[in-house]
Amino acid sequence: MGAGHDTVAAELVRRARERGDDALVVDVLALLPYGLGSALRHFYRGSVRHFPWAYAALYRLFLRPGAGRRPGGTPLARLAGGRLRELAESTGADVVVPVFHLGAQLTGHLRARGLLTVPSVVLVIDFALHRQWLHSGNDHHLCLTEQAAREVRESTGSPAWTCGPVVAPEFFADAPDAPDAPDAPDAPDAPDAPDAPDAPDAPDVPGGPDVPGAPGAAGWRGLFDRLGPGRPAVVLSAGAWGVGSHLDVTVRLLTDHGFLPVVLCGDNERLRRDLSGTPGVVALGWVTDMPGLLHAARALVDNAAGQTAVQALAAGLPVVGYRPIPGHGADGVRRMAALGVSDVAEDGTGLLGALRRLTAPGPARRERIAAGRALFTDDAVARAYAVADAWRACR
């Protein structure tokens, strides 16, 4: 549905090919007939961006865990069943790995009825498990945490393992020769503190991936030093679609208190233009060098607990959840904080306090980084191969 699912799928393919095998990425929405997949994607994108209250209602109805019968995604997923079966048979697939919950409903339905002849291993990429990830027909689930795996086992009776997030290896490499960041600013906690340093004029920053004058983290650090000298760079993620609540207010808060906000606007060009006019803000469009960017920054402000958040954890970047998008975003942000791998801020004062504590060198920052990197426990591709091997051995 979003770029996070695509990113995970691409990394699974890379790992499979690194092992000398092949893999095929299939968009389950593209398998739906009558243009339903495109309509569903546009509806979801529009509701999250413009009508978040509508998405929150749909999440409560279809996705949020809980007792009682509610509508599910299986009837819709069944419409793609024939095309997925044809692909699995024509490619000689050994295993099918859904990374999107509608795909999990589809493979579970097919496996339960004996219509898919190879095992399905669902890779749950959300911290907060919702009910559409669950279908007892699937052979196995791979989860980010043991808590999620336990919930899968209890709900479906099927095996579930913990593998941690799936992130490209470039994110784990330490930033080369990274200098110590400046201490977090000591402005008072109140958002309207009068003695915060003046923000520089709004920089003229293009939105493309080639913003830095040099590649990698060094290039990004050079850009940040030029645009906000002495200010810790804080990345704000609005996802691939540029979705966020009151981002203009948040960036002004950060600039007023001595930080350099770096906003990932995705493909939302209007958001990038609007924020580019705010003094002291770096507003970026689509960024391809995410490892370099995250290694050069000091913290991530996140609103969805999605792929950017786990990339930050892999890169050793503390994460603070703030103003999450409704539904799975809000549940995921709070689950991450409950696991101890991130902070969550309820208001501007809490956000400033968390950022001052986590951008400054010291034990709080080191402990949070260590907790985040401890999530990465196993290789999802190796686990999927193990399921396929065991299934073949039992035939």
Side-chain angles (χ1 to χ4, degrees):
M1 182 66 77
H5 301 277
D6 297 337
T7 301
V8 171
E11 174 58 16
L12 294 177
V13 169
R14 187 200 66 77
R15 295 183 187 186
R17 291 176 177 170
E18 188 176 61
R19 297 169 64 108
D21 295 311
D22 201 4
L24 175 68
V25 176
V26 177
D27 183 354
V28 67
L29 296 182
L31 299 180
L32 293 172
Y34 317 120
L36 288 174
S38 178
L40 183 62
R41 180 180 282 111
H42 282 89
F43 173 78
Y44 173 69
R45 176 175 178 162
S47 63
V48 170
R49 180 180 282 182
H50 302 295
F51 307 104
W53 55 268
Y55 176 68
L58 290 173
Y59 181 82
R60 288 193 298 270
L61 178 63
F62 288 96
L63 304 180
R64 186 181 293 278
R69 295 182 60 84
R70 282 173 291 171
T74 300
L76 178 64
R78 288 170 60 183
L79 297 175
R83 297 183 67 183
L84 180 62
R85 289 170 57 197
E86 291 174 3
L87 280 169
E89 292 170 3
S90 64
T91 60
D94 297 304
V95 62
V96 179
V97 183
V99 298
F100 178 49
H101 58 79
L102 189 62
Q105 291 296 308
L106 172 57
T107 55
H109 165 76
L110 294 177
R111 288 292 287 161
R113 285 156 180 78
L115 300 176
L116 181 65
T117 59
V118 295
S120 55
V121 180
V122 178
L123 177 58
V124 182
I125 65 172
D126 288 333
F127 279 94
L129 188 75
H130 62 67
R131 60 195 301 269
Q132 291 301 315
W133 282 111
L134 305 173
H135 195 298
S136 59
N138 287 304
D139 297 81
H140 285 262
H141 287 71
L142 302 177
C143 301
L144 302 186
T145 66
E146 176 54 33
Q147 180 179 357
R150 185 169 59 251
E151 291 174 9
V152 170
R153 292 191 291 266
E154 293 173 352
S155 297
T156 67
S158 302
W161 294 326
T162 302
C163 68
V166 173
V167 172
E170 292 82 5
F171 290 95
F172 294 95
D174 290 330
D177 301 321
D180 290 337
D183 290 341
D186 292 326
D189 287 344
D192 57 353
D195 57 348
D198 292 335
D201 293 336
D204 182 15
V205 178
D210 298 324
V211 174
W220 287 109
R221 284 199 301 272
L223 177 73
F224 299 156
D225 290 343
R226 177 168 59 85
L227 298 177
R231 291 170 171 260
V234 175
V235 177
L236 287 80
S237 175
W241 294 339
V243 175
S245 175
H246 303 290
L247 286 170
D248 56 336
V249 176
T250 302
V251 297
R252 285 197 297 270
L253 173 70
L254 296 184
T255 59
D256 287 348
H257 290 81
F259 294 96
L260 177 67
V262 181
V263 188
L264 302 177
C265 301
D267 65 4
N268 191 337
E269 182 60 23
R270 179 177 179 179
L271 175 66
R272 193 190 72 82
R273 287 197 309 268
D274 291 345
L275 294 181
S276 293
T278 305
V281 175
V282 181
L284 302 173
W286 193 262
V287 174
T288 56
D289 181 24
M290 284 297 293
L293 174 63
L294 296 179
H295 284 140
R298 293 298 289 178
L300 172 74
V301 176
D302 172 63
N303 68 358
Q307 196 63 15
T308 303
V310 297
Q311 288 171 345
L313 297 180
L317 195 67
V319 175
V320 180
Y322 185 61
R323 295 187 186 273
I325 61 175
H328 70 281
D331 284 354
V333 163
R334 300 194 184 284
R335 177 64 64 88
M336 284 184 67
L339 291 167
V341 299
S342 70
D343 281 36
V344 62
E346 302 295 341
D347 53 27
T349 299
L351 177 62
L352 292 174
L355 289 177
R356 292 194 187 104
R357 178 166 43 83
L358 295 174
T359 58
R365 178 179 175 84
R366 290 194 298 271
E367 290 169 6
R368 188 63 82 220
I369 290 172
R373 284 187 161 169
L375 284 175
F376 299 88
T377 56
D378 206 345
D379 179 12
V381 168
R383 286 289 195 177
Y385 273 105
V387 172
D389 291 343
W391 176 79
R392 281 195 299 269
C394 294
R395 292 185 67 182

